Amino acid sequence: MKKLRENNERVRALTTAEESKLLATLNVWAGRVTRIALLTGMRQGELLGLRKHAVDLEHGMLSLTDTKNGEPRTVFLNAEALAILRAAIDASPCDHIFISRTKKPYTTDGFRSVFRAAVARAGITDFRFHDTRHTTATRLRRVNVGLDIVQKALGHKSLRMTARYAHIEPATMRAAMTQLPALATPTATPTTSTRAVEPPRRVRRAG
């Protein structure tokens, strides 16, 4: 499967409201793909090419061998992702996990068409499937997950790539700064003098 070049300058993440609209619009088959994308940060090609033998439901992980950077990657799954994958595996009559309503594996063009139509119906603008990866990275950063871990999760070779995805929002930065410990030496507090202030003396003029 041909691997598309990523647009690393792009900054776009789903809001919670947009996510609700999109997932409500997608059919159950494409919805499973999109939900796993948001819960793992996996690329579209990795998802559509995912086979049953690559998923270890017992240990909550899956293995990717055909990745964009050419290096194998382990993806760890939370409880929600595991439940979605179990349902997808049970519904698929073939080795591919994600299938369309025709019970056949999704093609790249077929899935793209379904996803774009759902985005339009949901009234969401300027959002592509690849932006689900940025959404995952942004959400991980909001809960203070380090960039090194986000890098591993997304399968980036360099931390610079991850930093472009996982920008720090002002609210997150503000919250982080409030957690700094107090200085060892307290700030001196100005004291007010209790000494009485003498009234100015009148200067007597000669003559």
Side-chain angles (χ1 to χ4, degrees):
M1 184 178 292
K2 183 179 180 181
K3 300 178 179 63
L4 300 177
R5 184 177 181 181
E6 297 179 2
N7 180 358
N8 298 309
E9 300 296 335
R10 182 180 176 81
V11 176
R12 177 69 165 97
L14 277 179
T15 64
T16 302
E18 287 175 331
E19 177 194 309
S20 297
K21 292 178 181 178
L22 177 59
L23 294 179
T25 304
L26 286 163
N27 64 48
V28 64
W29 314 103
R32 286 171 178 156
V33 179
T34 305
R35 288 174 186 272
I36 293 298
L38 290 169
L39 291 170
T40 64
M42 290 172 64
R43 297 178 175 89
Q44 179 178 302
E46 294 169 343
L47 288 161
L48 299 186
L50 190 62
R51 308 296 180 95
K52 293 177 179 178
H53 67 267
V55 180
D56 185 345
L57 294 174
E58 181 180 354
H59 296 96
M61 63 180 68
L62 61 85
S63 301
L64 299 175
T65 55
D66 186 17
T67 64
K68 180 178 180 292
N69 64 18
E71 296 180 356
R73 181 165 97 256
T74 299
V75 177
F76 294 93
L77 309 163
N78 63 17
E80 185 176 3
L82 281 170
I84 295 168
L85 283 172
R86 282 194 181 97
I89 289 172
D90 290 343
S92 175
C94 61
D95 191 40
H96 282 79
I97 292 178
F98 296 113
I99 57 174
S100 69
R101 64 177 65 197
T102 65
K103 302 294 185 179
K104 295 180 180 180
Y106 266 118
T107 63
T108 300
D109 290 340
F111 179 79
R112 184 184 295 118
S113 177
V114 171
F115 185 81
R116 286 178 176 175
V119 169
R121 288 196 304 273
I124 300 172
T125 59
D126 190 34
F127 189 81
R128 301 176 300 191
F129 187 83
H130 192 77
D131 295 324
T132 58
R133 281 170 59 77
H134 181 63
T135 302
T136 303
T138 299
R139 291 177 178 180
L140 287 172
R141 292 292 284 153
R142 283 176 184 166
V143 293
N144 300 319
V145 173
L147 279 179
D148 56 338
I149 297 177
V150 177
Q151 177 189 2
K152 292 291 186 182
L154 297 186
H156 287 156
K157 275 194 171 183
S158 71
L159 201 57
R160 181 181 178 183
M161 290 275 290
T162 309
R164 290 179 179 180
Y165 272 100
H167 63 287
I168 300 177
E169 298 176 333
T172 304
M173 193 65 198
R174 183 185 298 277
M177 296 307 291
T178 62
Q179 296 178 39
L180 280 172
L183 298 177
T185 304
T187 303
T189 303
T191 57
T192 302
S193 175
T194 58
R195 182 180 177 181
V197 179
E198 296 182 0
R201 296 180 180 181
R202 293 184 177 181
V203 179
R204 298 180 63 181
R205 297 180 179 179

